[in-house]
């Protein structure tokens, strides 16, 4: 039996997408504001928050083995196990099951309820097991302490949730309906991040380009308007946004890529598959052609833009011909980067019960072929950048003495040696390319 006392130290471990990383930072800030100490790597923590991802089966199952490991290996000096909270999308989707399967868990808290962690910890410290997976109407963000994060590159969640209901995807169920955070709150948070040293802000949302709001004068604006407003902040050098849905790629947002110098030349625009019947079965509500037209227009606005995407192989019913169409699409787009996944049937989603599920070996083979095509294009994109002069935003030191790591405008990792510090924008020339990074020299 665990000795129950109020935790004094904590650790938050985030899995999954960048929005989870952002939530994890805000949970850490919340616990810090309660007077709890963040435990360093290898140090005992009285409370461990597992901020989980439900997107694919592997990610979700990992939670249970992680809990087991924490109970066993993270015992503190007095022999007790740390208090465990499961947060994030698995908490939302499987709260009850977690409580049944994992007795070591004291708290289950959903992605829209984590501002209530302090009261939950109070109850858990009194020996109760507490679940809160409500999606309350009250604004979570308003109940959280102000940002304290100091980093050259910061995340800012502007939009949450999803109304698209792609037939394979859990996000509409784990994150709820699409909501946009108010303009004034976002401007305030961005200012705080910049005052604390952020040179780059990445605007986040499950469908970030669905963001809408009203500017200071009460005019209706979209994501492009928010970007233009943030670009007016003198100390902010770079703006990015992710993830976008093709159907929310407005003319105004495309135009912003050609007009706003601080908006970095990078667009993550997932397509998932290159065959129209599969896109229809996925309920993507766009076609291969309409996707390609968007890419074409974005490239017209910003010719050097780096395009990245997401793919799923082995969606139910995907034939060899459908898959070949995906390879053809990849060849046409020439991605600067892309992420590909084997289809994972998720409980409660329509695709999980569709006929014609694809055999594991077929998925493996398709994934391999797709990934080698993507690696080829990544290397080609990086190789084509050799000789370019650009700014790198320095994020950390590299492995070698005097070496620094940072990102180019096209989100490539670049390393170089020279005199500088984290947070500097250093002008370099790119001199050598690999599939995942480039080496550079200062100019
Ligand atoms: N909102 C974003 C990203 C959602 S999740 C979008 O719509 O693009 C990130 C990626 O995970 C998706 O783009 C998709 O490629 C992948 N994914 C989602 N559900 C999946 C599933 N059931 N199996 C395999 N991959 C999945
Ligand atoms: Fe999932 Fe589709 Fe929504 Fe993206 S747009 S989060 S893939 S349902
Ligand atoms: Fe995973 Fe939830 Fe993000 S399921 S990908 S953590 S929205």
């Amino acid at each position: 039996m665990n000795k129950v006392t109020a935790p004094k130290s904590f650790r938050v471990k985030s899995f999954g997408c960048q929005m989870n990383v952002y939530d994890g930072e805000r949970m850490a800030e919340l616990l810090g504001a309660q007077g709890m100490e963040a435990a360093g790597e290898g140090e005992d923590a009285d409370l461990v928050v597992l901020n989980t991802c439900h997107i694919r089966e592997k990610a979700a199952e990992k939670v249970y083995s992680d809990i087991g490991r924490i109970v066993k290996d993270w015992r503190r000096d007095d022999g007790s196990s740390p208090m465990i909270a499961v947060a994030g999308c698995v908490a939302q989707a499987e709260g009850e099951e977690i409580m049944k399967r994992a007795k070591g868990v004291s708290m289950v808290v959903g992605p829209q309820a984590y501002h209530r962690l302090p009261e939950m910890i109070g109850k858990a410290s009194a020996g109760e097991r507490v679940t809160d997976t409500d999606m309350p109407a009250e604004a979570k963000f308003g109940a959280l302490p102000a940002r304290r994060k100091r980093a050259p590159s910061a995340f800012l969640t502007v939009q949450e949730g999803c109304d698209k209901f792609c037939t394979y995807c859990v996000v509409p169920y784990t994150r709820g309906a699409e909501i946009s955070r108010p303009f004034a709150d976002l401007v305030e948070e961005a200012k705080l991040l910049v005052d604390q040293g952020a040179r780059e802000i990445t605007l986040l949302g499950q469908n970030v380009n669905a963001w809408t709001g009203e500017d200071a004068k009460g005019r209706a604006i979209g994501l492009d308007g928010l970007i233009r407003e943030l670009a007016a902040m003198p100390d902010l050098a770079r703006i990015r946004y992710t993830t976008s849905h093709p159907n929310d790629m407005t003319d105004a947002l495309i135009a912003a890529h050609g007009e706003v110098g601080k908006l970095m030349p990078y667009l993550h625009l997932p397509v998932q598959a290159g065959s129209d019947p599969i896109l229809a079965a996925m309920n993507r509500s766009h076609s291969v052609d309409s996707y390609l037209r968007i890419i074409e227009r974005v490239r017209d606005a910003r010719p050097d833009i780096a395009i990245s995407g997401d793919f799923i192989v082995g969606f139910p019913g995907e034939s060899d011909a459908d898959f070949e169409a995906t390879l053809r699409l990849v060849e046409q787009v020439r991605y600067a980067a892309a992420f590909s996944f084997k289809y994972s049937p998720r409980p409660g989603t329509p695709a999980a019960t569709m006929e014609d599920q694809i055999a594991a070996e077929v998925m493996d083979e398709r994934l391999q072929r797709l990934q080698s095509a993507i690696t080829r294009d990544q290397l080609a994109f990086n190789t084509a950048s050799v000789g370019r002069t650009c700014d790198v935003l320095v994020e950390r030191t590299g492995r070698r003495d005097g070496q620094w790591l940072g990102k180019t405008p096209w989100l490539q990792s670049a390393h170089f040696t020279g005199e500088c510090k984290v947070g500097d924008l250093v002008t370099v020339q790119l001199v050598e390319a690999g599939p995942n990074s480039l080496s550079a020299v200062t100019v």
Side-chain angles (χ1 to χ4, degrees), residues 190-303:
K191 281 197 176 124
L192 212 54
L193 290 167
V194 171
D195 286 347
Q196 291 166 6
R199 307 298 315 277
E200 172 177 280
I201 291 183
T202 303
L203 307 176
L204 299 180
Q206 268 91 17
N207 280 295
V208 69
N209 55 345
W211 184 88
T212 54
E214 276 182 8
D215 69 7
K217 295 200 174 92
R219 289 176 299 213
I221 54 169
L223 187 68
D224 57 292
L226 179 62
I227 289 169
R228 286 176 198 273
E229 179 78 20
L230 298 179
M233 295 171 62
D235 293 330
L236 182 63
R238 293 177 159 191
I239 302 168
R240 303 181 183 277
Y241 62 94
T242 199
T243 294
S244 298
H245 191 283
N247 291 0
D248 294 316
M249 227 37 234
T250 61
D251 293 346
L253 185 55
I254 293 174
H257 275 284
E259 293 164 8
V260 182
K262 290 183 183 180
L263 181 57
M264 290 295 101
Y266 187 96
L267 174 65
H268 183 63
L269 198 64
V271 62
Q272 315 300 353
S275 128
D276 283 336
I278 295 297
L279 288 177
M282 287 176 162
N283 191 33
R284 287 290 296 180
S285 64
H286 59 76
S287 65
V288 174
D289 249 13
S290 66
Y291 177 82
L292 287 171
R293 267 206 313 279
I294 295 167
I295 301 289
E296 209 176 276
R297 284 165 53 223
V298 174
R299 282 187 166 142
D300 281 345
R302 181 76 204 230

Side-chain angles (χ1 to χ4, degrees), residues 389-436:
T389 298
C390 65
D391 284 350
V392 166
L393 177 60
V394 180
E395 290 177 356
R396 56 194 169 91
T397 52
R399 241 176 292 158
R400 268 182 258 133
D401 236 14
Q403 194 183 46
W404 297 94
L405 295 181
K407 295 274 167 35
T408 71
W410 307 279
L411 207 63
Q412 298 149 303
S413 291
H415 50 88
F416 64 94
T417 51
E419 286 291 307
C420 64
K421 58 183 187 313
V422 167
D424 283 352
L425 278 161
V426 176
T427 307
V428 301
Q429 186 175 35
L430 304 171
V431 291
E432 207 186 314
N436 299 312

Side-chain angles (χ1 to χ4, degrees), residues 301-345:
R302 181 76 204 230
D304 67 334
I305 199 159
I307 304 287
S308 83
D310 289 345
F311 292 90
I312 295 176
V313 300
F315 185 82
E318 185 186 69
S319 66
D320 286 338
D322 291 323
F323 175 67
E324 297 297 332
T326 297
L327 290 177
R328 275 201 302 282
L329 170 69
V330 167
E331 222 154 85
Q332 273 174 286
V333 175
R334 291 165 287 114
Y335 288 93
F339 307 89
S340 45
F341 311 100
K342 284 187 269 185
Y343 168 69
S344 171

Side-chain angles (χ1 to χ4, degrees), residues 14-311:
S14 291
F15 304 88
C17 62
Q18 289 147 319
M19 310 208 42
N20 247 21
V21 174
Y22 176 86
D23 289 338
E25 290 173 4
R26 299 225 58 176
M27 282 189 249
E29 288 166 350
L30 174 64
L31 299 176
Q34 301 290 309
M36 293 173 65
E37 202 63 55
E41 204 50 54
E43 279 173 21
D44 274 4
D46 300 334
L47 167 68
V48 179
V49 181
L50 285 177
N51 191 23
T52 60
C53 174
H54 199 241
I55 202 83
R56 285 169 289 275
E57 190 185 354
K58 267 214 184 102
E61 274 303 312
K62 200 176 168 306
V63 177
Y64 295 98
S65 54
D66 278 347
I67 294 168
R69 209 160 37 79
I70 290 169
V71 170
K72 213 169 112 247
D73 296 347
W74 291 35
R75 283 190 208 286
R76 290 162 302 171
D77 297 339
D78 65 1
S80 63
S81 300
M83 183 183 276
I84 299 174
V86 179
C89 291
V90 183
Q92 190 66 41
E94 298 184 358
E96 264 177 51
E97 197 185 335
I98 294 168
M99 280 302 194
K100 264 194 231 129
R101 263 175 82 176
K103 296 290 179 227
V105 172
S106 303
M107 287 167 275
V108 163
V109 58
Q112 304 306 347
Y114 65 77
H115 56 298
R116 297 178 181 160
L117 261 174
E119 356 166 353
M120 296 178 73
I121 293 170
K123 289 184 187 162
S125 301
E128 240 183 275
R129 297 180 85 206
V130 214
T131 299
D132 189 344
T133 48
D134 282 359
M135 297 205 174
E138 93 215 27
K140 162 182 75 188
F141 295 109
L144 292 168
R147 300 305 312 273
R148 291 209 244 164
K149 172 94 184 164
R150 290 175 176 276
S153 179
F155 289 146
L156 172 51
T157 292
V158 304
Q159 182 279 340
E160 285 203 291
C162 182
D163 297 337
K164 305 284 191 287
F165 290 93
C166 300
T167 52
Y168 50 82
C169 184
V170 293
V171 171
Y173 312 99
T174 62
R175 292 278 174 165
E178 283 181 7
I179 61 120
S180 295
R181 292 182 64 194
F183 176 77
D185 294 7
L186 297 173
V187 172
E188 191 186 304
E189 190 169 329
K191 281 197 176 124
L192 212 54
L193 290 167
V194 171
D195 286 347
Q196 291 166 6
R199 307 298 315 277
E200 172 177 280
I201 291 183
T202 303
L203 307 176
L204 299 180
Q206 268 91 17
N207 280 295
V208 69
N209 55 345
W211 184 88
T212 54
E214 276 182 8
D215 69 7
K217 295 200 174 92
R219 289 176 299 213
I221 54 169
L223 187 68
D224 57 292
L226 179 62
I227 289 169
R228 286 176 198 273
E229 179 78 20
L230 298 179
M233 295 171 62
D235 293 330
L236 182 63
R238 293 177 159 191
I239 302 168
R240 303 181 183 277
Y241 62 94
T242 199
T243 294
S244 298
H245 191 283
N247 291 0
D248 294 316
M249 227 37 234
T250 61
D251 293 346
L253 185 55
I254 293 174
H257 275 284
E259 293 164 8
V260 182
K262 290 183 183 180
L263 181 57
M264 290 295 101
Y266 187 96
L267 174 65
H268 183 63
L269 198 64
V271 62
Q272 315 300 353
S275 128
D276 283 336
I278 295 297
L279 288 177
M282 287 176 162
N283 191 33
R284 287 290 296 180
S285 64
H286 59 76
S287 65
V288 174
D289 249 13
S290 66
Y291 177 82
L292 287 171
R293 267 206 313 279
I294 295 167
I295 301 289
E296 209 176 276
R297 284 165 53 223
V298 174
R299 282 187 166 142
D300 281 345
R302 181 76 204 230
D304 67 334
I305 199 159
I307 304 287
S308 83
D310 289 345
F311 292 90

